[in-house]
Every structure is written in structure tokens, then in C-alpha cells.
Amino acid sequence: MSRVVVIGGGAAGMAAAIGAAQSGHSVALYEKNEKLGKKVYITGKGRCNVTNGCDTEELFGNMVTNGKFLYSAIYGFTNFDMMGLLEECGCRLKVERGNRVFPVSDKSSDVIFALERKLKSLGVSIHLNEPIKELLLEDGICKGVILEKGKKKIMADSVILATGGFSYQATGSTGDGYEFAKAAGHTVTELSPALVPFVCAEEDVRSLQGLSLRNIEVTVYNGKKVLWKEFGEMLFTHFGVSGPVVLSASSYAAKTIRKNPLVMDIDLKPALSRDQLDARILRDFDEAKNKQFKNSLNQLFPAKMIPVMIARSGIDPEKKVNEVTAVERERLLSITKAFRVTLTGLRGFNEAIITQGGVSVKEVNPSTMESKKVPGLYFAGEVLDLDAVTGGFNLQIAWSTGMLAGRSCQ
């Protein structure tokens, strides 16, 4: 029976400890926080979107960075395997819109408790409030860890680094793992906040703060190139835009927006073609023909948006509807099908759901998650240069890579 040390008690760390213990190893899990799964508690707005219930093959289409690297990990422990594990541990699940999987109770704590029960039943020794100072490296081999408290050495046959990323730093994701990896000779790619809101240049966007839009379609452009296009929900904020479709867009835009601003067009009526929308506007105008233009748009837009749409259309708000020209109506139609905002940057790591970038996967064996540089050192989860869009996919990366690392320990 070999000894395995897992650094980090988040999603990847818990999965790694379960995988290693199930493989017959003696496992010790070290977590610097006062409880396990601190970041898991806040995922899915505290409900924990544990995975996505799509066909396993479809998972890869939702990976943003290095999806091919994940084939062995995901097919070795699929989304359905994860669902089965939680159900087996007493956490009942349900599938919602977009195949998002949540606990029936809507409480992320139930996911943590289920995994904690599993860890204890497998005999994993859990050490909370126990930060790691450094990896114990001898002759280029990882032989264990050195605890911060008392500089105590803990010997191990395998060490799994599952320290998370750099996002939500209040949960303890302060980038320790990147430093451990660098000290072991690994390359850490450029880090960026991802699944994070955008900052916008336009002042009128700020006046829409708090307005949530459903059933819209956003397209993000870098020049003429489309970086991201998706239908769904979004939110205007005091600094720009947020919400599900915007957060996913940030993962595809993170590298480019560091070099130059981008453009986002919001189609406020994606279900209607331009001709259909024109007919709809004409119908609304016909019903309000004796009203002023500013009082004719309440069927078309939310109240908060009307002053902005009037200003952007360039149509005199006091003008009678029956005096609005075809050219003016065309302008209104155009800004409805493409409400344009300029994206100037991303919000910071403290608002990012995940970190883009991390330990280079070129230096990690995809079949085992073991370092190609340092025998005995394994990686799992967000510390690696892997990320996906919203919908439970990032947690599945953590579960799958964690389980593979744990099962692969020698």
C-alpha cells in the first residue's frame, strides 16, 4: 500500500483522494481552509452545478482550452459516473435547462457532505487548516510535502497537486499551486480571469444597470472575426455586461481583449428576421399612430431600455409616430437587431468563476495526470491549463482529472 498526499480539498482534490483510496492507497488530504470544498459551496449561486447531463462526447465541444488533453480523463470518469457517485453517496440530483445538473435540494453543501462521507468511509485522513509550504523534491522526484506549520515533512510515494486556480481568492485560490509547479520545473502559461463580466466603454450601458434580458443573442467580434455567438440571458451592470452568455464569451475573448477592445452586438429580437421585426414595428406604430414616439415602444422593449433606444435611434422623442420616416424606422430596426457595445476589458480574478491558463498540459501525461518532468507528482483540476464554458463543464474537468490522478498513483 503506497502513501498518497493530496494538496487541496476542492472538487479535484476530493475526487483525487477518492480515486486513490479506491485504488487501495493510504491517502492524506491537506486543505488550508477550515472546511472542504469552499469554492464548490458558491458554485451555481450556492446550488452547485455539479456537471452537465449531455452525451459525454458533447462535453468536449464545451471545452475552451486543451479539450483533447481530457479524452482519457473524461472517458475514464464521465459525467454520468460523477452523477452515479453522488447518488450512491446519498445526494439526489436533477437535470435542468441546458442539461445542467444540480442537487435536488438546491444546496451545494449536500454535494460536499456526500463526498466527505465517501472520503471518510474510504479511510482518507483529512487535515483542515493545514497549508503546504512546498513540495519535497529529491533527485528530481517528488517524495512528499513540507507543511507550513512547524516545517514538518510528510513523506509520500505520490503527491497530487489540486490547489485550484487564481479566481475567487477569498476561498483560498491564491495561486499556491502555480508556485509549487514552477519550483518543480513546470511551465505555467499566462493566467487570465475567465467566466467573468466585461467592462464596456458606453455610458448609456451603465444607465441600464440591473436590467436582465432573456432570449437575446450576443455575438462578439474581433474586427470581422466572430469569437463567440450564443443565445440566452444577460445582465447590464454598473461597469458593463454580465450574465450566462456573456460569461461564456469571456473565455473565448480573454486572450484577444488584452491586445485590443472588442465589439459585442446584442440581438434583442433574435426570433424575428429583419422583415418580421419591421412588420412588428409597423404594427406597433399603427396602434400608436397618434402617440409621441417616446410612448410607442413599451411593447417592444423593457421600460428601462426605452430612453437608450430612443437616443441611439436619433429619432425625436416628441415626434408623432405617424411622422416617423422609413429611414428612421430602419435605424430603430438596426439597433434592435444589433445593440452594439464596446468591450474594453474583463473584470478581475475576484469576480472570475475560473482561471484561464495554468500548468502547461504539454508537461503532463494525459493518460495518468503525472508530471512528465517530476516522477511522483500529479496534477488535477483548475491548476492545469484547462477551462470550459458555464454549465457544469469546469467542475466535470475537476472530477475527471482528479479521479484519473488518484487512480494512477503508484
Short mmCIF file of all heavy atoms in Angstrom, two decimals, residues 354-384:
data_model
loop_
_atom_site.label_atom_id
_atom_site.label_comp_id
_atom_site.label_asym_id
_atom_site.label_seq_id
_atom_site.Cartn_x
_atom_site.Cartn_y
_atom_site.Cartn_z
N ILE A 354 -13.57 31.12 -12.94
CA ILE A 354 -12.41 30.25 -13.11
C ILE A 354 -11.20 31.05 -13.62
O ILE A 354 -11.33 32.21 -13.98
CB ILE A 354 -12.69 29.10 -14.11
CG1 ILE A 354 -13.13 29.66 -15.46
CG2 ILE A 354 -13.70 28.11 -13.56
CD1 ILE A 354 -12.86 28.76 -16.62
N THR A 355 -10.07 30.36 -13.64
CA THR A 355 -8.83 30.93 -14.17
C THR A 355 -8.51 30.26 -15.50
O THR A 355 -8.56 29.04 -15.61
CB THR A 355 -7.66 30.66 -13.20
OG1 THR A 355 -8.03 31.15 -11.91
CG2 THR A 355 -6.39 31.34 -13.66
N GLN A 356 -8.20 31.07 -16.50
CA GLN A 356 -7.72 30.53 -17.78
C GLN A 356 -6.20 30.56 -17.74
O GLN A 356 -5.60 31.54 -17.30
CB GLN A 356 -8.26 31.38 -18.93
CG GLN A 356 -8.09 30.73 -20.29
CD GLN A 356 -8.87 31.49 -21.36
OE1 GLN A 356 -8.48 32.57 -21.77
NE2 GLN A 356 -9.99 30.94 -21.79
N GLY A 357 -5.58 29.48 -18.20
CA GLY A 357 -4.13 29.35 -18.06
C GLY A 357 -3.81 28.44 -16.89
O GLY A 357 -4.69 28.05 -16.12
N GLY A 358 -2.53 28.09 -16.76
CA GLY A 358 -2.14 27.20 -15.67
C GLY A 358 -0.96 26.34 -16.08
O GLY A 358 -0.26 26.65 -17.05
N VAL A 359 -0.76 25.24 -15.35
CA VAL A 359 0.35 24.34 -15.65
C VAL A 359 0.19 23.80 -17.07
O VAL A 359 -0.88 23.29 -17.43
CB VAL A 359 0.40 23.18 -14.63
CG1 VAL A 359 1.48 22.16 -15.02
CG2 VAL A 359 0.64 23.71 -13.24
N SER A 360 1.23 23.94 -17.88
CA SER A 360 1.16 23.53 -19.29
C SER A 360 0.87 22.04 -19.40
O SER A 360 1.58 21.21 -18.83
CB SER A 360 2.49 23.84 -19.98
OG SER A 360 2.51 23.26 -21.27
N VAL A 361 -0.17 21.71 -20.16
CA VAL A 361 -0.55 20.29 -20.30
C VAL A 361 0.46 19.52 -21.16
O VAL A 361 0.46 18.29 -21.16
CB VAL A 361 -1.98 20.14 -20.87
CG1 VAL A 361 -3.00 20.72 -19.91
CG2 VAL A 361 -2.12 20.75 -22.25
N LYS A 362 1.31 20.24 -21.86
CA LYS A 362 2.36 19.55 -22.64
C LYS A 362 3.33 18.83 -21.71
O LYS A 362 4.04 17.91 -22.14
CB LYS A 362 3.15 20.57 -23.48
CG LYS A 362 2.34 21.20 -24.59
CD LYS A 362 3.15 22.30 -25.28
CE LYS A 362 2.29 23.03 -26.31
NZ LYS A 362 2.94 24.25 -26.78
N GLU A 363 3.37 19.25 -20.46
CA GLU A 363 4.31 18.67 -19.49
C GLU A 363 3.64 17.67 -18.55
O GLU A 363 4.20 17.28 -17.53
CB GLU A 363 4.96 19.80 -18.68
CG GLU A 363 5.73 20.78 -19.56
CD GLU A 363 6.14 22.06 -18.86
OE1 GLU A 363 5.80 22.24 -17.67
OE2 GLU A 363 6.78 22.90 -19.51
N VAL A 364 2.41 17.28 -18.90
CA VAL A 364 1.64 16.35 -18.07
C VAL A 364 1.15 15.20 -18.94
O VAL A 364 0.68 15.42 -20.07
CB VAL A 364 0.44 17.08 -17.41
CG1 VAL A 364 -0.39 16.12 -16.57
CG2 VAL A 364 0.92 18.25 -16.56
N ASN A 365 1.23 13.99 -18.44
CA ASN A 365 0.78 12.80 -19.19
C ASN A 365 -0.74 12.74 -19.14
O ASN A 365 -1.32 12.57 -18.07
CB ASN A 365 1.39 11.55 -18.55
CG ASN A 365 1.05 10.28 -19.32
OD1 ASN A 365 0.06 10.23 -20.04
ND2 ASN A 365 1.86 9.25 -19.16
N PRO A 366 -1.43 12.86 -20.29
CA PRO A 366 -2.90 12.88 -20.28
C PRO A 366 -3.53 11.56 -19.86
O PRO A 366 -4.70 11.52 -19.48
CB PRO A 366 -3.26 13.22 -21.74
CG PRO A 366 -2.09 12.81 -22.54
CD PRO A 366 -0.88 12.99 -21.67
N SER A 367 -2.75 10.48 -19.91
CA SER A 367 -3.28 9.15 -19.54
C SER A 367 -3.24 8.91 -18.04
O SER A 367 -3.90 7.99 -17.54
CB SER A 367 -2.50 8.05 -20.24
OG SER A 367 -2.54 8.24 -21.63
N THR A 368 -2.44 9.70 -17.33
CA THR A 368 -2.27 9.47 -15.89
C THR A 368 -2.35 10.74 -15.04
O THR A 368 -2.49 10.67 -13.83
CB THR A 368 -0.89 8.84 -15.60
OG1 THR A 368 0.12 9.76 -16.04
CG2 THR A 368 -0.73 7.51 -16.31
N MET A 369 -2.19 11.91 -15.65
CA MET A 369 -2.07 13.20 -14.96
C MET A 369 -0.75 13.34 -14.22
O MET A 369 -0.57 14.27 -13.41
CB MET A 369 -3.25 13.46 -13.99
CG MET A 369 -4.58 13.59 -14.67
SD MET A 369 -4.69 15.05 -15.72
CE MET A 369 -5.45 14.32 -17.17
N GLU A 370 0.22 12.44 -14.49
CA GLU A 370 1.52 12.56 -13.83
C GLU A 370 2.41 13.54 -14.59
O GLU A 370 2.36 13.62 -15.82
CB GLU A 370 2.22 11.21 -13.75
CG GLU A 370 3.51 11.26 -12.91
CD GLU A 370 4.17 9.90 -12.69
OE1 GLU A 370 3.84 8.94 -13.43
OE2 GLU A 370 5.01 9.79 -11.78
N SER A 371 3.21 14.27 -13.83
CA SER A 371 4.19 15.17 -14.43
C SER A 371 5.15 14.39 -15.31
O SER A 371 5.59 13.31 -14.96
CB SER A 371 4.97 15.87 -13.31
OG SER A 371 6.16 16.45 -13.82
N LYS A 372 5.45 14.95 -16.49
CA LYS A 372 6.47 14.34 -17.36
C LYS A 372 7.87 14.73 -16.89
O LYS A 372 8.86 14.17 -17.34
CB LYS A 372 6.28 14.82 -18.81
CG LYS A 372 5.03 14.28 -19.49
CD LYS A 372 4.93 14.85 -20.91
CE LYS A 372 3.69 14.34 -21.63
NZ LYS A 372 3.57 14.95 -22.98
N LYS A 373 7.94 15.69 -15.99
CA LYS A 373 9.23 16.21 -15.53
C LYS A 373 9.64 15.64 -14.17
O LYS A 373 10.82 15.44 -13.91
CB LYS A 373 9.17 17.75 -15.42
CG LYS A 373 9.11 18.45 -16.77
CD LYS A 373 8.93 19.95 -16.58
CE LYS A 373 9.19 20.68 -17.89
NZ LYS A 373 10.53 21.19 -18.03
N VAL A 374 8.64 15.44 -13.31
CA VAL A 374 8.93 15.03 -11.93
C VAL A 374 8.12 13.78 -11.57
O VAL A 374 6.92 13.87 -11.31
CB VAL A 374 8.58 16.17 -10.93
CG1 VAL A 374 8.93 15.77 -9.50
CG2 VAL A 374 9.29 17.46 -11.32
N PRO A 375 8.75 12.60 -11.56
CA PRO A 375 8.03 11.39 -11.18
C PRO A 375 7.44 11.53 -9.78
O PRO A 375 8.03 12.17 -8.90
CB PRO A 375 9.13 10.31 -11.19
CG PRO A 375 10.20 10.84 -12.09
CD PRO A 375 10.16 12.33 -11.92
N GLY A 376 6.24 10.99 -9.61
CA GLY A 376 5.59 11.05 -8.30
C GLY A 376 4.72 12.27 -8.09
O GLY A 376 4.02 12.37 -7.09
N LEU A 377 4.74 13.22 -9.04
CA LEU A 377 3.93 14.43 -8.93
C LEU A 377 2.80 14.38 -9.96
O LEU A 377 3.05 14.16 -11.15
CB LEU A 377 4.79 15.68 -9.15
CG LEU A 377 4.06 17.03 -9.13
CD1 LEU A 377 3.41 17.30 -7.77
CD2 LEU A 377 5.03 18.16 -9.49
N TYR A 378 1.58 14.58 -9.48
CA TYR A 378 0.40 14.54 -10.34
C TYR A 378 -0.36 15.86 -10.22
O TYR A 378 -0.26 16.56 -9.21
CB TYR A 378 -0.54 13.39 -9.92
CG TYR A 378 0.07 12.01 -10.09
CD1 TYR A 378 1.00 11.53 -9.17
CD2 TYR A 378 -0.30 11.19 -11.15
CE1 TYR A 378 1.56 10.27 -9.32
CE2 TYR A 378 0.25 9.92 -11.31
CZ TYR A 378 1.18 9.47 -10.39
OH TYR A 378 1.74 8.22 -10.53
N PHE A 379 -1.14 16.16 -11.25
CA PHE A 379 -1.93 17.41 -11.25
C PHE A 379 -3.41 17.08 -11.49
O PHE A 379 -3.73 16.12 -12.19
CB PHE A 379 -1.45 18.35 -12.37
CG PHE A 379 -0.04 18.83 -12.18
CD1 PHE A 379 1.02 18.20 -12.82
CD2 PHE A 379 0.23 19.92 -11.36
CE1 PHE A 379 2.32 18.64 -12.66
CE2 PHE A 379 1.54 20.38 -11.20
CZ PHE A 379 2.59 19.74 -11.84
N ALA A 380 -4.28 17.93 -10.94
CA ALA A 380 -5.72 17.75 -11.18
C ALA A 380 -6.44 19.08 -11.04
O ALA A 380 -6.11 19.90 -10.19
CB ALA A 380 -6.30 16.75 -10.19
N GLY A 381 -7.42 19.29 -11.92
CA GLY A 381 -8.31 20.43 -11.78
C GLY A 381 -7.79 21.74 -12.36
O GLY A 381 -7.00 21.76 -13.30
N GLU A 382 -8.22 22.82 -11.74
CA GLU A 382 -8.03 24.16 -12.30
C GLU A 382 -6.58 24.63 -12.32
O GLU A 382 -6.25 25.59 -13.01
CB GLU A 382 -8.90 25.15 -11.51
CG GLU A 382 -9.19 26.43 -12.25
CD GLU A 382 -10.01 27.42 -11.43
OE1 GLU A 382 -10.74 26.99 -10.52
OE2 GLU A 382 -9.92 28.62 -11.71
N VAL A 383 -5.71 23.97 -11.56
CA VAL A 383 -4.29 24.35 -11.59
C VAL A 383 -3.69 24.10 -12.98
O VAL A 383 -2.71 24.73 -13.37
CB VAL A 383 -3.51 23.59 -10.49
CG1 VAL A 383 -3.32 22.12 -10.85
CG2 VAL A 383 -2.17 24.26 -10.20
N LEU A 384 -4.34 23.20 -13.74
CA LEU A 384 -3.90 22.90 -15.11
C LEU A 384 -4.46 23.93 -16.09
O LEU A 384 -5.47 24.58 -15.82
CB LEU A 384 -4.38 21.50 -15.52
CG LEU A 384 -3.66 20.33 -14.86
CD1 LEU A 384 -4.51 19.06 -14.94
CD2 LEU A 384 -2.31 20.08 -15.52
#
